Amino acid sequence: MQTFRDGLLDGKVAFVAGGTSGINLGIAKRYAQLGAKVAVVGRNPEKAANAAAEIGSDALGLSADVRDYGAIRGAMEHVVDRFGKMDIVVSGAAGNFLAPVLGMSANAFRTVVDIDLNGTFNVFRGCHDLLNTPGASLIAITAGQAVNASALQAHACAAKAGINQLIRVLALEWGPHVRVNGISPGPISNTEGMARLAPDAASRQKHYDRIAMKRWGEIEEVAECAVFLSSPAAGYITGTILDCDGGSQVGDASRIDLAKGMA
Ligand code: NAP
Ligand code: COA
C-alpha cells in the first residue's frame, strides 16, 4: 500500500504507548517509514527493545507501565531529551480477556480500566507541555466495545467508552493547539486482541459474519488511518473517532441475506 508520500513525517517525533506489538507497532513502523523519529513504550523491556530494532531509524524502545503516571512521564522526558519535543502521541496500550461480570473480581475490572482508560489519561495528561504546538496530534486507540455493549466485555466496554469521551473533552479543552482523535479498529488479523476475543473457530466465524466487508482488517490499514490523522490532511479534524472496521459499526451484517431479503 503506498498512500502517503515519502518524507511526509520528516522532522516529526512520535511517541507510541503500547507500541511494542500488534496494531500500535504497525503504526509506529509506518510513522518511521514516513520519516518520523519514533519511541515505543510497553511494560516488557525486552519486547520494547526488539520492537525498536524492528522499527529501525534510531527508534527508542522504552519500558514503562501506563498505569504509573511518573513512569510514563519519565519515558516522555527521555524521548524529548533524545529527539526534541513530540508532535504525535498515540495511546494504544490495552489489556483484555473474556469474562462475565460474575467471573471477574473487582481487581480484574479495575485492571483493564486502569490500563486502557487511566492509562490514556496519563499518556495525554503527561505529554501536554512536551508537545510541539500548534499542530500536535494525539490519537487514542479505542474499540467498538465503546459504543456496542458486548457480553464478557464489561471492563473493556466501560474503559473504551471512557476513552471516547476523554478524546472529546480534550478536543474541546486543547482545541487551538492540539488535535485529539481516536481510531476504532474492527477485528484485525494476526493480533493479540483477536486471539483473545475470538479464541476458536466458531467465535472467529461469528465475528467474521458480522463484518460488512467480509474480510479481516490489516494492521497496515489501521496504520494508514493514524498517518492520516497525524498529517496536515486532517488539519481541521479534532474530537472525531475514525472507525477502521470494514463496516462493523454500521450494523450486524450476519443478519443480512440478500437472496432472501432481511432475516
Ligand atoms: P497487543 O499486541 O497486545 O498490544 C498491546 C500493547 O500494549 C503491547 O505493546 C503491550 O506491551 C502494551 N501494554 C499492555 N499493557 C500495558 C501497560 N500497562 N503499560 C504499558 N504498555 C502496556 O494488542 P493489539 O491487539 O494490537 O491491540 C492494540 C490496540 O488496538 C488496543 O488498544 C486494543 O484495544 C485496540 N483494538 C484491537 C483490536 C484487534 O482486533 N486486535 C480491535 C479493536 C481495538 P507489554 O505487554 O510489554 O506491556
Ligand atoms: N478472567 C477473569 N479474570 C482475569 C482473567 C480472566 N481471563 N485474566 C486476568 N484476570 C484477573 C486476575 O485474576 C487478577 O484479578 P485478581 O487479583 O482478583 O485475581 C486481575 O485480572 C489482574 O490480573 P494480573 O495478571 O495481575 O494483571 P496484569 O496487570 O499483570 O495483566 C492483563 C493485565 C490481565 C490485562 C493481561 O492479560 C495483560 O497484560 N494483557 C495485555 C495484552 C492484551 O490484553 N492485549 C489485547 C489488547 S485488546
Side-chain angles (χ1 to χ4, degrees):
M1 191 188 309
Q2 251 331 330
T3 40
F4 294 98
R5 67 170 168 77
D6 288 347
L8 178 74
L9 300 178
D10 277 354
K12 302 290 184 192
V13 174
F15 180 97
V16 184
T20 62
S21 64
I23 293 172
N24 307 314
L25 174 57
I27 292 171
K29 279 182 182 167
R30 187 69 176 127
Y31 283 151
Q33 237 178 40
L34 292 169
K37 297 279 184 214
V38 173
V40 289
V41 179
R43 290 164 301 176
N44 180 328
E46 201 181 323
K47 197 170 147 186
N50 290 340
E54 203 178 318
I55 295 166
S57 320
D58 305 329
L60 272 178
L62 302 172
S63 170
D65 192 318
V66 293
R67 292 170 284 191
D68 178 344
Y69 181 83
I72 207 72
R73 171 72 190 188
M76 288 171 171
E77 286 172 354
H78 184 103
V79 172
V80 170
D81 282 347
R82 173 72 81 91
F83 295 144
K85 282 193 164 186
M86 300 181 290
D87 301 280
I88 299 167
V89 174
V90 176
S91 176
N96 205 346
F97 47 82
L98 292 172
V101 168
L102 296 181
M104 189 185 288
S105 67
N107 189 43
F109 183 83
R110 181 170 43 239
T111 296
V112 171
V113 172
D114 210 8
I115 299 172
D116 294 26
L117 177 56
N118 296 344
T120 297
F121 176 87
N122 291 341
V123 169
F124 287 173
R125 174 69 183 84
C127 74
H128 186 266
D129 66 325
L130 302 176
L131 294 172
N132 257 323
T133 55
S137 163
L138 311 190
I139 298 172
I141 308 301
T142 180
Q145 288 95 322
V147 287
N148 292 322
S150 318
L152 315 182
Q153 286 286 273
H155 45 11
C157 287
K160 295 292 195 183
I163 289 174
N164 283 16
Q165 284 294 62
L166 185 58
I167 289 167
R168 295 186 181 104
V169 170
L170 290 181
L172 285 176
E173 293 192 4
W174 296 350
H177 309 294
V178 181
R179 295 183 300 103
V180 188
N181 293 294
I183 299 174
S184 181
I188 305 300
S189 60
N190 301 314
T191 59
E192 183 63 26
M194 269 299 287
R196 286 173 181 237
L197 301 184
D200 52 52
S203 59
R204 272 192 297 280
Q205 190 64 47
K206 257 186 160 172
H207 279 272
Y208 186 88
D209 289 344
R210 293 176 57 94
I211 308 170
M213 288 186 71
K214 291 290 169 274
R215 67 173 178 83
W216 305 113
E218 300 295 332
I219 288 175
E220 291 75 15
E221 292 175 310
V222 184
E224 295 305 285
C225 293
V227 173
F228 166 68
L229 286 175
S230 308
S231 77
Y236 201 48
I237 299 179
T238 195
T240 199
I241 291 157
L242 179 54
D243 296 330
C244 178
D245 66 356
S248 301
Q249 290 294 340
V250 179
D252 180 355
S254 62
R255 301 188 66 246
I256 299 171
D257 182 340
L258 292 179
K260 296 183 191 148
M262 293 291 289

